[in-house]
Amino acid sequence: MKKHILLIFVLLAVIFSACTPATPPAGNFAFVFQESPCGYGGVFTLDSAKGILTYDPMDGTAAMRVDLQLTKAELGKIYSRAALIDFFHYPTVFTISTTYAGYEKSPISYQLALTNGNQTNSVQWMDNVVTRFPNDEADQLRGLMKLIDKSMRKHEEFKKLPELKGRCF
């Protein structure tokens, strides 16, 4: 009897997964990602369509541009995560509306403008609030931003950049 129940659950899982296929990204899927570790200015700006990373070392020297093209696999993961969290329905300025316990000492400012097919959305977020309770929307958005950050940082072009010298405090 237990085997029959298990078999039924497995068959239902297969049927439901076949009924809701993951849609691939559109041909024009692209984004511009900006991350500012101190919460101001643009330290890292990645334009996935152009394959350009702009880097400002925050030490008084001029910003520099390097070629950095994400792989199709990386872009696919980023698209899948954006689709999973329903990125196109996030507000233009995202804020956490739950009870907070304080502020981060070193906030991170993010901006992500994403296009897929005829959908576009741009979200700005100052990730500086420590909440007392979990906030799913914030955690999901943070996960997407960290996925993009991790994807660009693992490229050799990124690793060759000079170390960030500016300090937040």
Side-chain angles (χ1 to χ4, degrees):
M1 183 68 176
K2 288 181 182 180
K3 288 183 181 180
H4 292 289
I5 293 173
L6 180 62
L7 180 61
I8 290 170
F9 281 118
V10 169
L11 287 174
L12 287 174
V14 170
I15 290 169
F16 284 117
S17 66
C19 293
T20 56
T23 57
N28 69 337
F29 173 72
F31 59 86
V32 175
F33 170 74
Q34 185 177 61
E35 177 183 45
S36 302
C38 296
Y40 59 87
V43 177
F44 300 107
T45 303
L46 177 63
D47 185 329
S48 72
K50 295 178 182 176
I52 300 280
L53 173 68
T54 304
Y55 169 69
D56 182 350
M58 295 177 57
D59 63 359
T61 60
M64 57 188 76
R65 294 174 66 173
V66 296
D67 293 331
L68 195 153
Q69 188 66 52
L70 297 180
T71 67
K72 286 188 179 200
E74 290 167 332
L75 290 169
K77 285 180 185 178
I78 292 165
Y79 166 76
S80 293
R81 178 72 61 91
L84 180 68
I85 71 167
D86 203 13
F87 176 81
F88 291 105
H89 290 95
Y90 271 79
T92 302
V93 177
F94 180 76
T95 57
I96 296 176
S97 60
T98 61
T99 305
Y100 61 91
Y103 292 95
E104 292 286 347
K105 182 177 179 183
S106 299
I108 300 175
S109 173
Y110 296 109
Q111 184 167 350
L112 178 60
L114 197 143
T115 298
N116 187 61
N118 62 358
Q119 293 183 302
T120 60
N121 194 20
S122 181
V123 175
Q124 296 176 14
W125 179 33
M126 176 70 76
D127 188 7
N128 66 339
V129 174
V130 178
T131 59
R132 290 184 184 167
F133 307 104
N135 184 301
D136 291 340
E137 283 186 307
D139 292 343
Q140 292 172 352
L141 187 58
R142 185 179 298 113
L144 174 61
M145 302 300 187
K146 288 187 179 208
L147 174 62
I148 296 170
D149 178 73
K150 180 180 173 184
S151 297
M152 71 179 184
R153 287 178 185 270
K154 72 180 185 179
H155 282 259
E156 288 303 315
E157 298 88 348
F158 188 95
K159 293 176 184 177
K160 292 177 184 176
L161 292 171
E163 186 175 330
L164 185 67
K165 294 179 183 176
R167 298 288 179 244
C168 297
F169 297 97

